[in-house]
Amino acid sequence: MRDPELSVVVPMYDEEDVLPIFFERMRPLLDGLGISYEVLVVDDGSRDATASMLLAAATGWPELRVVRLLRNSGHQAAQSAGFRRARGRFLVTIDADLQDPPEIIADFLATAREQQVDVVYGVRSDRSSDSWAKRTTARLYYRLICRLVGREIPFDAADFRLVSRRVVDAVNALPEDGRVFRLVIPWLGFPSAEVEYVRAERAAGVTKYNWSKMFRLAFDSVTAFSAAPLRLATWFGLLGGLLSGLFAVGALVIKLSGESVPGWTSTVLAVSVIGAIQLLCLGLLGEYVARLFQSSQRRPQFLVGYDSLEDTGHQAVNEVARR
Ligand code: UDP
Ligand code: MG
């Protein structure tokens, strides 16, 4: 089989609610593009009916390719799997929940061709469909990230974008694990363009990004790109040292002047302030040590359990039967 022109990579985790709408909206649209394509759904170890629904749909939709990770490895890891396996000359990543309108894919392709760019970012022109908490944390996140990466990051561009084969190969060649795509891709520096769109509400189901996954993403984003927090730790350490020096001098002066102050408050204050600073610094160090540890382990970030492209006929049946 010849490699398709376009690969649409869709990470999915427990998306059974959205799947029927997803098929209904995606298929006519992609068929209508008039180019060869594959829809590469990376099932990120879903525990619901997602896998069996996908396999059932694949029998009637030859362009639908199902790659199943052995266990839930996270949105970014699922994208990594998609990047590794996709064959298209262009690759679009899109969420399963149809918050990013798939109709924009046609605009992505047109922009990439007309402007001869390797990356087309989907940029949200309006975030009113997100909750206040999501908007606020997202704004903080992008501010911080722009600072750290030190390069213009398209604001409010998440994981809805088109990249060319050149970019896919460059990303796959990166040695690091735990990549955060929305940072790594701008950082690579390929010529890029933007297409604005309005982000819709989730078509069905609930968010699969809980707070801990959001924190993980934020921590990975920072520690992957910057040692600034480590330097921050040094500054805190210096400040803490200075403060405790002042405390010591103060205590000495008071003692020499003969006024015996009970001093309980200041002692507790000093101990807790310095303790807090120390813990903070240790925590920051820990984040980096953890990263070094993980990369020295060289464990795969994800394992593929099944790929419908490599299926010889009976695996799919087993796969469904196993659920
Ligand atoms: N997702 C995934 N693995 C996870 C969490 C999420 O593959 O561990 C997928 C999810 O199925 C969806 C996309 O990542 O296609 C974005 O997740 P979601 O829409 O829940 O995040 P939100 O839009 O609320 O930030
Ligand atoms: Mg979503």
Side-chain angles (χ1 to χ4, degrees):
M1 210 198 318
R2 276 192 48 227
D3 287 348
E5 179 80 359
L6 173 71
S7 294
V8 180
V9 170
V10 194
M12 279 196 196
Y13 179 50
D14 287 353
E15 298 285 9
E16 61 181 4
D17 294 330
V18 96
L19 267 180
I21 321 173
F22 177 82
F23 293 139
E24 203 174 293
R25 183 125 164 238
M26 272 296 192
R27 184 155 191 196
L29 202 135
L30 293 172
D31 285 342
L33 286 178
I35 53 170
S36 56
Y37 69 88
E38 64 177 352
V39 177
L40 203 168
V41 173
V42 183
D43 172 12
D44 186 13
S46 300
R47 301 152 302 176
D48 64 359
T50 302
S52 49
M53 286 168 79
L54 283 170
L55 289 170
T59 57
W61 187 9
E63 285 86 3
L64 177 64
R65 177 174 167 199
V66 185
V67 167
R68 208 173 130 68
L69 306 187
L70 283 179
R71 58 174 175 79
N72 182 233
S73 312
H75 184 197
Q76 303 298 312
Q79 279 191 68
S80 289
F83 266 63
R84 283 248 180 261
R85 299 243 152 182
R87 299 166 302 152
R89 215 165 73 74
F90 290 105
L91 185 155
V92 168
T93 36
I94 184 168
D95 289 353
D97 58 5
L98 301 171
Q99 281 193 285
D100 312 317
E103 290 75 19
I104 303 288
I105 294 175
D107 299 335
F108 281 175
L109 279 168
T111 309
R113 293 213 176 99
E114 274 159 29
Q115 303 189 19
Q116 299 278 314
V117 289
D118 287 286
V119 187
V120 184
Y121 298 104
V123 178
R124 276 166 273 182
S125 55
D126 167 26
R127 286 195 78 129
S128 55
S129 66
D130 285 331
S131 69
W132 180 85
K134 187 110 197 170
R135 280 209 304 270
T136 316
T137 50
R139 189 161 341 115
L140 273 174
Y141 172 81
Y142 282 102
R143 283 252 169 84
L144 180 73
I145 288 318
C146 278
R147 266 227 129 95
L148 291 179
V149 179
R151 205 178 281 242
E152 262 320 289
I153 299 271
F155 227 64
D156 272 346
D159 288 311
F160 184 34
R161 76 178 87 71
L162 172 141
V163 296
S164 68
R165 178 48 48 186
R166 283 212 296 165
V167 179
V168 175
D169 292 340
V171 168
N172 287 339
L174 290 173
E176 82 224 44
D177 286 332
R179 20 185 111 102
V180 179
F181 279 84
R182 63 188 73 171
L183 303 183
V184 157
I185 288 175
W187 177 82
L188 287 170
F190 282 97
S192 68
E194 294 178 7
V195 168
E196 283 207 346
Y197 70 99
V198 179
R199 197 166 158 94
E201 303 268 359
R202 199 175 225 286
V206 292
T207 178
K208 305 297 176 311
Y209 255 94
N210 51 26
W211 282 99
S212 87
K213 279 182 179 161
M214 258 157 55
F215 273 122
R216 197 61 263 158
L217 184 71
F219 267 121
D220 279 345
S221 303
V222 173
T223 52
F225 271 90
S226 171
L230 278 178
R231 249 166 263 143
L232 199 73
T234 318
W235 284 113
F236 272 131
L238 280 177
L239 195 75
L242 203 74
L243 278 181
S244 50
L246 287 180
F247 272 126
V249 172
L252 208 70
V253 168
I254 289 167
K255 186 150 186 117
L256 288 181
S257 70
E259 280 176 56
S260 101
V261 182
W264 190 82
T265 326
S266 59
T267 311
V268 168
L269 203 84
V271 168
S272 58
V273 164
I274 292 163
I277 290 169
Q278 280 175 337
L279 282 180
L280 187 75
C281 298
L282 275 178
L284 287 172
L285 279 173
E287 279 295 321
Y288 286 89
V289 173
R291 239 188 128 75
L292 284 174
F293 170 65
Q294 272 161 6
S295 63
S296 69
Q297 276 182 314
R298 299 261 53 153
R299 279 202 195 144
Q301 211 195 343
F302 56 84
L303 284 174
V304 171
Y306 171 82
D307 184 338
S308 59
L309 196 70
E310 295 160 357
D311 196 344
T312 46
H314 39 266
Q315 269 153 284
V317 184
N318 291 342
E319 187 70 22
V320 176
R322 260 194 16 225
R323 334 229 83 239

